[in-house]
Amino acid sequence: MDAVLTGLPDFTALDFAAYGTAFAGFIETHADWAEIIIFLMAFAEGLTLVGLLIPGVVMLTASGALVAAGVLDFWSVYLAIAGGAILGDATSYWLGRRYGERMFRLWPLSRHPELRGRGEAFFLRHGSKSVFLARFIGPLRAVVPTTAGMMAMPHRKFQAFNVLSAVIWAPLLMSPGHLAWTGYDRSGVGDRPAPAAEGGIGQGAARSCAPAPPVEGSPERTGC
């Protein structure tokens, strides 16, 4: 495990657009630890105090590119993301239930007092459904589970919306990276060859150049 930690890229030295590529490269290099790392990243993304500090969504989206490239298995990544997200939100709920308003006095929540107001307003407006909806709405994802705990939302109802939202969110999160995997390949992540032209629908961007069919009355074309 120490070797994995020492190989972790310095994300603080990267601009936001480079996080995904750096994380994909790191995961590919340490493929044996991929599921554990992705699980922990998804857990941290759902954890109230940590989710505000890391670009977890960008990094987890990059895992979809590695699934498309055949580096990682879809179901392993899917279960790691969904499981980490469920546990992260459940932990945030418990923290809100146990410590209440004191959670919002801690850094980094103390630096963003507006998030508490937004989280409470969102919860009061949508009730139990807010746990499901907040999963798909940026910063609210990091505060609504804690707010739900602080508001004493019934545990079973919270977990039902928590699990349902996570199993839907996980594949949606992977989709952009999956669709853009050729972009990761061009950026230098791995030495994977482009798929063959006869691979089927969805691989048009990677197809080799082929001459267009001849048109009557026009000179024959030998290239693209």
Side-chain angles (χ1 to χ4, degrees):
M1 187 66 176
D2 292 340
V4 174
L5 295 177
T6 55
L8 186 66
D10 182 9
F11 291 114
T12 60
L14 302 171
D15 59 67
F16 190 77
Y19 282 129
T21 298
F23 185 70
F26 174 73
I27 289 293
E28 187 175 26
T29 302
H30 303 90
D32 291 342
W33 297 92
E35 290 80 7
I36 296 175
I37 297 169
I38 292 171
F39 174 87
L40 293 175
M41 189 62 63
F43 171 76
E45 171 66 21
L47 198 59
T48 299
L49 297 176
V50 182
L52 296 174
L53 301 175
I54 62 172
V57 169
V58 177
M59 298 179 187
L60 293 173
T61 298
S63 66
L66 297 180
V67 170
V71 176
L72 301 178
D73 173 67
F74 170 82
W75 287 109
S76 297
V77 174
Y78 172 79
L79 292 174
I81 294 177
I86 291 169
L87 184 59
D89 274 22
T91 302
S92 293
Y93 169 85
W94 179 82
L95 289 172
R97 191 76 178 249
R98 176 67 176 82
Y99 297 103
E101 295 183 1
R102 283 177 288 176
M103 287 295 299
F104 292 92
R105 299 172 191 164
L106 299 175
W107 183 87
L109 288 175
S110 60
R111 296 186 57 184
H112 302 278
E114 74 283 356
L115 287 180
R116 175 181 176 178
R118 289 174 60 187
E120 291 183 1
F122 192 79
F123 184 83
L124 292 173
R125 179 179 179 181
H126 298 285
S128 300
K129 295 190 297 295
S130 63
V131 176
F132 177 88
L133 298 173
R135 177 82 71 185
F136 307 91
I137 307 176
L140 289 179
R141 182 168 50 250
V143 296
V144 167
T146 299
T147 302
M150 190 173 64
M151 297 286 192
M153 177 178 175
H155 180 259
R156 288 187 178 181
K157 185 174 290 187
F158 172 84
Q159 291 296 0
F161 283 108
N162 179 26
V163 172
L164 179 61
S165 63
V167 298
I168 296 174
W169 181 69
L172 292 179
L173 189 66
M174 295 165 62
S175 295
H178 193 281
L179 295 174
W181 78 273
T182 51
Y184 283 104
D185 194 72
R186 287 193 299 269
S187 68
V189 179
D191 299 316
R192 301 177 297 277
E198 60 270 16
I201 298 174
Q203 298 178 348
R207 292 177 180 175
S208 59
C209 179
V215 178
E216 185 178 357
S218 300
E220 182 178 354
R221 298 174 62 182
T222 58
C224 298

